[in-house]
Amino acid sequence: MARSSRGLMPPLELNRSSRAPLFRQIERGLREAILSGRLPAGTRIPSTRSLAVSFDVSRTTVLLAFDQLLARGLLEATPGGGTYVVDQLPQEVRSRDPDGAVAPTRPASTRGAALLDAPALPTDANSETRTFALALSAARDFPLDAWARAQAEGRRALAQGSGEGLGPAGHLRLRTAVARLLRIARGVVCDPDQVVVVSGVQEALYLVGTLLLDPGEAFWHGDPGHRGHRSVLEVVGGRPVAVPHDEHGFDVDFGRRHAPDARMAVLSPLGAFPVGLATAPARRTALLEWAREADAFVFEDDWDPASYLFQPAAPALASQDPDGRVIYTAGLSRAFSTVVRMTFLVLPKALAPSVISVRRRQQLLGLIEGQPPLLDQLTIADFLEGGHLEAMAGQRAERSRARHTALMEALRAGLGPDASLGTGDGMTYGVIWLPEGTDDRALAGRLAGEGLESLPATALWAEGNGRPGLVLGSAAFPEETIRSDVRRLVALLD
């Protein structure tokens, strides 16, 4: 077994008023640390001299404790090489249970138990451990060489004092690069002062919801749509109103009828997940008109702002906003796969100072983490400024189209020409629509047991009772893997 080359010690407290000798207390503390696994096999124990200094005892006291542990077979000493926890514990101590251990009888709260009993959902959508997991690209496709060069530039910038550009909204250099990208990519004209660097869309929604929503106030959300939209705003006290999508996208009239005084609407107008429907221009205009009449805000979640680089894309809703009512988020970290997580929140000018202030207060209260690491911010700034995103997106486009085509062709070949299939966004995922009444969650669980990831479509509807289906990602997997695992999937469905 490989051995630790550096001596580490878990916390050990000595009671100097106890009748137990100090060497016994040290011996007992080390013994419990070894048996509990806090000192794993092969760990090097600090020298007796350094432990004597740490415990403020004589070296003789530590030597007596060591002698007891050596005699019990828990430590072994190598001449000139230090003292280590043995690789194999003696049988009589391996099988011994902790004295007086009482197992908990109520390991979960009522709410926790309900969550555990709920139908299982697939693993993290960014996981690439199972075929058909949802991701915009594979980590292995990421241009790590270009990233390493950008990171080296970021380290040099830090060494030269570029951290001085860091403000409460993020580093100015990154916010400037993002403002330029979004102006070109989505037509969102904004100043760097309107851009806030956050860890993810959930943090952005939490900040905005905390500022804008009073408990019990209604908010619209797309149905179906991303579960996080509804969940985060419910946490801050908002009352969800599910607004369905039809062939024209987000049904604004439905929202007007059921909650005309809603304080906010949250949606992805460029493509509702998983149906892939964009909201039609007339509906987008109607949404902005409602926001003006209701004195409300629209939270626009742009799923992949880099997609403009390799496929035609409509401008963002924020680019059509004359009143400063659209709050825009660009989850650029999705384009970076699992390499880095970062999202950009673009706020109306009148709202930006308030959101930044709320963020600072919530951070001081410990309710949210601080900004993404400064080195990551400088690295992404260099990555954007150097044109690496464009190069990456061009390569990703070719791979994504080929992989998506392989998925859809394999599904049609395996399920038959009459199968009900959805092409999703046409680039990164597709959908097998199932007959009404099918338990798609149970099917997803069965597939997961065979190493195949799928997202049950009913989980994306507000009441969990929408059209059943299986959402399958294609962007992160080679074509040959997709074809072979579609054959396995079809056999399991049969």
Side-chain angles (χ1 to χ4, degrees):
M1 177 179 292
R3 295 194 162 191
S4 170
S5 61
R6 183 172 299 178
L8 299 172
M9 274 291 293
L12 196 157
E13 185 176 359
L14 299 180
N15 182 0
R16 298 182 185 274
S17 63
S18 171
R19 292 184 178 181
L22 291 175
F23 83 90
R24 286 290 186 197
Q25 295 184 46
I26 295 172
E27 181 262 334
R28 184 169 59 244
L30 289 173
R31 174 164 51 89
E32 291 175 353
I34 293 170
L35 297 179
S36 67
R38 288 181 292 132
L39 276 177
T43 300
R44 182 175 182 174
I45 304 299
S47 69
T48 55
R49 192 180 306 278
S50 65
L51 285 179
V53 173
S54 298
F55 296 144
D56 192 21
V57 297
S58 70
R59 189 182 178 201
T60 301
T61 300
V62 179
L63 283 168
L64 287 171
F66 271 36
D67 286 343
Q68 296 294 317
L69 295 168
L70 289 165
R72 289 174 177 269
L74 300 180
L75 295 182
E76 60 181 351
T78 58
T83 303
Y84 295 84
V85 178
V86 295
D87 292 340
Q88 189 71 28
L89 294 176
Q91 178 63 39
E92 61 269 20
V93 298
R94 268 188 293 154
S95 58
R96 187 182 304 165
D97 291 330
D99 295 336
V102 179
T105 58
R106 189 186 174 213
S109 65
T110 302
R111 181 175 58 183
L115 288 171
L116 293 173
D117 290 338
L121 291 176
T123 55
D124 183 1
N126 286 320
S127 169
E128 296 175 23
T129 58
R130 291 173 173 165
T131 310
F132 306 129
L134 290 168
L136 293 182
S137 60
R140 61 181 173 274
D141 294 334
F142 189 77
L144 290 173
D145 289 341
W147 181 258
R149 290 191 294 271
Q151 196 171 57
E153 287 296 327
R155 289 196 297 268
R156 280 192 286 271
L158 276 178
Q160 296 167 4
S162 290
E164 296 174 0
L166 184 65
H171 200 282
L172 177 59
R173 183 179 160 199
L174 174 58
R175 291 185 285 117
T176 301
V178 169
R180 178 183 178 277
L181 169 70
L182 296 179
R183 181 186 295 263
I184 300 171
R186 290 298 198 235
V188 179
V189 179
C190 61
D191 297 329
D193 290 344
Q194 295 174 252
V195 179
V196 180
V197 182
V198 294
S199 298
V201 174
Q202 285 79 9
E203 180 185 341
L205 264 173
Y206 175 77
L207 292 173
V208 170
T210 299
L211 178 67
L212 299 180
L213 282 176
D214 281 325
E217 284 191 317
F219 66 90
W220 298 354
H221 67 93
D223 191 33
H226 295 286
R227 296 191 303 271
H229 290 170
R230 171 175 177 166
S231 301
V232 174
L233 293 181
E234 280 187 300
V235 165
V236 301
R239 176 171 57 86
V241 176
V243 176
H245 293 89
D246 58 21
E247 66 273 17
H248 302 295
F250 194 78
D251 191 345
V252 180
D253 286 341
F254 181 96
R256 282 180 178 275
R257 292 194 302 272
H258 291 82
D261 58 347
R263 185 77 170 110
M264 185 190 308
V266 53
L267 69 154
S268 297
L270 296 178
F273 182 71
V275 291
L277 285 171
T279 298
R283 292 277 179 87
R284 292 154 66 97
T285 300
L287 183 62
L288 293 175
E289 290 175 349
W290 162 79
R292 175 183 290 177
E293 295 167 10
D295 196 19
F297 289 90
V298 179
F299 188 99
E300 178 181 14
D301 180 8
D302 191 348
W303 173 251
D304 182 15
S307 64
Y308 87 100
L309 297 168
F310 56 82
Q311 67 177 359
L317 183 67
S319 70
Q320 304 172 255
D321 173 27
D323 300 335
R325 297 186 180 277
V326 177
I327 301 162
Y328 174 87
T329 53
L332 195 59
S333 57
R334 292 158 176 162
F336 288 2
S337 187
T338 55
V339 175
V340 66
R341 295 183 184 276
M342 201 173 295
T343 293
F344 308 109
L345 175 62
V346 181
L347 297 156
K349 287 186 177 182
L351 203 58
S354 298
V355 171
I356 293 171
S357 177
V358 167
R359 184 191 195 190
R360 297 180 71 178
R361 291 173 182 272
Q362 297 295 79
Q363 183 180 341
L364 288 173
L365 291 171
L367 297 175
I368 61 172
E369 297 289 341
Q371 293 184 22
L374 178 56
L375 179 57
D376 284 350
Q377 294 191 44
L378 291 173
T379 301
I380 293 181
D382 187 84
F383 198 87
L384 296 178
E385 292 166 354
H388 301 302
L389 179 64
E390 288 87 339
M392 181 188 75
Q395 296 168 1
R396 193 180 93 185
E398 185 177 351
R399 284 191 295 262
S400 295
R401 289 193 183 97
R403 292 168 181 177
H404 186 267
T405 298
L407 173 67
M408 302 311 297
E409 289 179 348
L411 288 174
R412 290 191 182 95
L415 296 173
D418 296 330
S420 181
L421 301 177
T423 58
D425 62 357
M427 292 292 290
T428 63
Y429 72 91
V431 187
I432 303 174
W433 294 113
L434 301 168
E436 291 295 333
T438 303
D439 188 345
D440 57 357
R441 298 192 186 207
L443 276 178
R446 284 172 49 197
L447 294 175
E450 299 295 330
L452 302 176
E453 189 83 351
S454 61
L455 180 64
T458 54
L460 302 171
W461 265 268
E463 303 303 325
N465 58 1
R467 186 178 183 184
L470 298 173
V471 184
L472 307 174
S474 59
F477 308 98
E479 295 165 56
E480 57 272 18
T481 300
I482 290 172
R483 292 191 180 96
S484 63
D485 281 347
V486 163
R487 288 192 290 270
R488 286 208 297 136
L489 183 147
V490 170
L492 290 168
L493 292 181
D494 288 342

